[in-house]
């Protein structure tokens, strides 16, 4: 059962963290970013900077899910019907820096932090399957862009990552007089990834970009504690991957004021097919045990499509509107996942003066209901999972 909880943890916590940052920044055209955020999204696009630039940004998000259905204990046939809700809050303060070194070389730096806090309904029918989780991730990404000629630039970067996971599941025996136990599985570790990009200026009004971000493998270790009777494992460890992704964007201005931008992303979730977890504290009857196990997630590779526009209302005001279709990577026969989603977002930017520009954005995600049919070793879960998400972001651009 503990292995199943960990599987749900990777899906329900890590997946939103990877895919849900600032909507405008991460989907509308990351491979053709025209400011210092290119340090993270496509280092080749750093060549578009005409001066040094600093960008602090703050993103917050709220993700709500609700499952309606039933959970059946396989060994006894005990059925619990009803609903179960969870709420996840995301915080992502980030910092970007771009510095032209010569007329052909530009350096950049991105410092991206993500924090997600998930609160599940501990008295629900899914209290033995879902759990409270906290995840924190810190990325430091130095990058470099080289101009080959007036039309072509290339770039690359290294992604240094650190993550801290805290999973707090509840273990119990439905239909018995045994008191539920609180578990804690805490781990931390680091990983290294890379990204490479190309930026092509097809004309003064058309820019095309491509970026490939490799998978990152984290080596995580920590402590696993089972609540009652108390069992402690100091050798809790595993390796986990985040998916590689390929991003293609094209930006075309039809006039000096109006342009369209489109992005296609391919996300390789299948690299997360199996996680080997060691040193999980548990009990067998009343006997303390330390378990090892495999987590098969059965995730599928997905596509993400975005179409948006930017319209310069005045020389100082710009408006951006975009919509995104995002496929769900989850398998409803193995995870309590959400369905495909459509995101609608808008942002506006105002140039205070030549030095300072401020941008604000908001997005809402409409998530398709997912029919869940899980036939696990201990629980049979059938029902419908629904969800929604809101994200807001504020960015300050400082030209030096």
């Amino acid at each position: 059962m503990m292995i199943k909880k960990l599987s749900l943890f990777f899906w329900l916590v890590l997946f939103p963290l990877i895919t849900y940052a600032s909507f405008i920044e991460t989907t509308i055209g990351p491979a053709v970013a025209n400011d210092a955020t290119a340090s993270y999204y496509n280092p080749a696009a750093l060549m578009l900077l005409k001066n040094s630039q600093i960008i602090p940004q703050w993103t917050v998000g709220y993700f709500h899910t609700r499952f309606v259905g039933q959970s059946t204990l396989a060994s006894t046939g005990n059925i619990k019907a009803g609903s179960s809700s969870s709420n996840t809050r995301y915080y992502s303060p980030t910092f970007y820096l771009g510095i032209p070194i010569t007329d052909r070389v530009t350096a950049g730096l991105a410092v991206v932090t993500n924090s997600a806090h998930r609160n599940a309904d501990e008295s629900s029918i899914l209290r033995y399957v879902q759990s409270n989780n906290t995840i924190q991730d810190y990325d430091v990404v130095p990058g470099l862009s080289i101009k080959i000629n007036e039309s072509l630039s290339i770039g690359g970067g290294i992604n240094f990552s650190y993550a801290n996971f805290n999973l707090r599941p509840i273990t119990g025996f439905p239909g018995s007089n045994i008191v539920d136990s609180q578990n804690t599985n805490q781990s931390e570790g680091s990983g290294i990834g890379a990204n490479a990009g190309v930026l092509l200026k097809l004309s003064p009004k058309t820019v095309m970009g491509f970026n490939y971000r490799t998978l990152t493998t984290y080596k995580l270790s920590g402590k696993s504690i089972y609540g009652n009777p108390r069992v402690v494992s100091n050798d809790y460890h595993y390796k986990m991957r985040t998916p590689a992704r390929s991003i293609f964007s094209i930006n075309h201005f039809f006039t000096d004021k109006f342009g369209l931008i489109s992005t296609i992303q391919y996300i390789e979730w299948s690299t997360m097919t199996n996680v080997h977890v060691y040193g999980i504290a548990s009990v067998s009857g009343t006997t303390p045990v330390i378990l090892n196990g495999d987590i098969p997630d059965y995730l599928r590779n997905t596509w993400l499509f975005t179409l948006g526009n930017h319209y310069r209302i005045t020389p100082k005001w710009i408006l951006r509107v975009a919509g995104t279709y995002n496929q769900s990577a989850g398998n409803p026969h193995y995870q309590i996942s959400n369905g495909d989603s459509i995101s609608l977002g808008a942002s506006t930017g105002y140039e205070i003066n030549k030095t300072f520009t401020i941008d604000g954005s908001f997005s809402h995600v409409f998530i398709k209901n997912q029919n869940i049919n899980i036939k696990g070793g201990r629980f049979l879960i059938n029902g419908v999972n629904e969800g929604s998400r809101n994200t807001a972001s504020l960015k300050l651009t400082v030209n030096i």
Side-chain angles (χ1 to χ4, degrees):
M1 181 60 185
M2 181 62 67
I3 296 298
K4 188 63 180 178
K5 287 177 180 289
L6 288 169
S7 177
L8 292 169
F9 162 67
F10 291 130
W11 168 251
L12 292 169
V13 178
L14 184 63
F15 173 73
L17 186 64
I18 295 170
T19 59
Y20 296 158
S22 169
F23 171 77
I24 295 296
E25 297 295 340
T26 58
T27 59
I28 194 172
V32 291
N34 62 355
D35 58 19
T37 61
S39 303
Y40 185 85
Y41 297 111
N42 183 6
L46 284 168
M47 191 51 61
L48 296 175
L49 290 180
K50 301 185 184 309
N51 51 262
S52 296
Q53 199 173 78
I54 297 173
I55 298 179
Q57 179 173 308
W58 177 260
T59 300
V60 295
Y62 176 78
F63 181 40
H64 173 76
T65 66
R66 181 172 180 264
F67 173 86
V68 179
Q70 64 181 33
S71 175
T72 304
L73 183 62
S75 60
T76 65
N78 182 282
I79 299 175
K80 296 291 184 181
S83 64
S84 177
S85 298
S86 70
N87 300 298
T88 305
R89 288 175 170 83
Y90 303 92
Y91 308 91
S92 181
T94 57
F95 172 84
Y96 306 96
L97 172 67
I99 303 175
I101 298 174
T102 70
D103 60 348
R104 289 189 174 274
V105 179
T106 303
L109 175 69
V111 180
V112 179
T113 66
N114 293 287
S115 180
H117 305 273
R118 180 174 183 271
N119 295 312
D121 187 349
E122 296 183 359
S123 61
S124 75
I125 62 172
L126 297 182
R127 67 183 182 275
Y128 302 125
V129 179
Q130 295 181 328
S131 68
N132 294 331
N133 305 302
T134 299
I135 179 172
Q136 293 178 312
D137 178 79
Y138 306 90
D139 295 322
V140 178
V141 188
L144 194 70
S145 174
I146 300 175
K147 180 190 288 187
I148 304 300
N149 53 47
E150 293 303 317
S151 299
L152 176 65
S153 298
I154 60 173
I158 303 295
N159 198 121
F160 300 96
S161 296
Y162 166 82
N164 185 303
F165 294 159
N166 188 358
L167 169 65
R168 301 179 298 279
I170 293 174
T171 301
F173 300 89
S176 71
N177 294 320
I178 301 175
V179 178
D180 290 348
S181 295
Q182 178 75 58
N183 291 60
T184 300
N185 297 284
Q186 187 165 14
S187 60
E188 60 181 355
S190 59
I192 298 178
N195 72 95
V198 176
L199 186 75
L200 183 62
K201 295 182 69 174
L202 301 177
S203 73
K205 292 185 177 182
T206 305
V207 179
M208 183 173 64
F210 175 79
N211 180 248
Y212 178 76
R213 185 172 297 275
T214 70
L215 60 85
T216 299
T217 300
Y218 290 86
K219 296 181 179 179
L220 298 141
S221 61
K223 180 180 291 187
S224 176
I225 301 174
Y226 181 87
N228 186 24
R230 185 176 174 85
V231 184
V232 178
S233 170
N234 293 306
D235 192 31
Y236 173 61
H237 66 279
Y238 54 95
K239 292 182 181 180
M240 188 191 65
R241 293 175 173 177
T242 58
R245 63 175 64 200
S246 303
I247 306 169
F248 171 80
S249 299
I250 186 166
N251 181 19
H252 177 73
F253 272 92
F254 293 91
T255 69
D256 292 337
K257 292 185 176 182
F258 177 78
L260 289 178
I261 191 166
S262 180
T263 290
I264 299 174
Q265 297 190 37
Y266 181 67
I267 307 170
E268 300 176 41
W269 292 102
S270 61
T271 58
M272 299 173 62
T273 53
N274 204 20
V275 178
H276 307 282
V277 185
Y278 305 89
I280 306 167
S282 186
V283 294
S284 177
T286 59
T287 304
V289 295
I290 304 299
L291 302 176
N292 302 323
D294 294 334
I295 302 175
D297 276 319
Y298 302 103
L299 302 180
R300 62 165 180 162
N301 296 339
T302 62
W303 291 91
L304 183 152
F305 305 96
T306 298
L307 180 64
N309 78 291
H310 27 212
Y311 178 70
R312 188 162 293 280
I313 303 171
T314 71
K316 289 182 173 291
W317 278 104
I318 188 169
L319 175 68
R320 309 174 191 91
V321 178
T324 288
Y325 173 75
N326 190 8
Q327 290 183 321
S328 170
N331 188 322
H333 298 293
Y334 294 92
Q335 303 102 14
I336 302 176
S337 59
N338 292 101
D340 297 351
S341 65
I342 294 177
S343 306
L344 298 178
S347 76
T348 184
Y350 179 72
E351 182 183 290
I352 300 172
N353 52 44
K354 295 297 183 182
T355 302
F356 299 102
T357 299
I358 189 167
D359 288 84
S361 68
F362 176 82
S363 72
H364 178 76
V365 182
F366 302 88
I367 303 175
K368 182 180 178 181
N369 292 351
Q370 182 81 292
N371 293 318
I372 305 299
N373 183 19
I374 299 174
K375 297 180 180 179
R378 191 179 180 203
F379 285 98
L380 310 178
I381 301 172
N382 295 277
V384 177
N385 199 40
E386 58 187 35
S388 64
R389 179 180 63 88
N390 292 308
T391 302
S393 182
L394 186 65
K395 181 175 76 171
L396 177 67
T397 301
V398 182
N399 293 298
I400 302 173

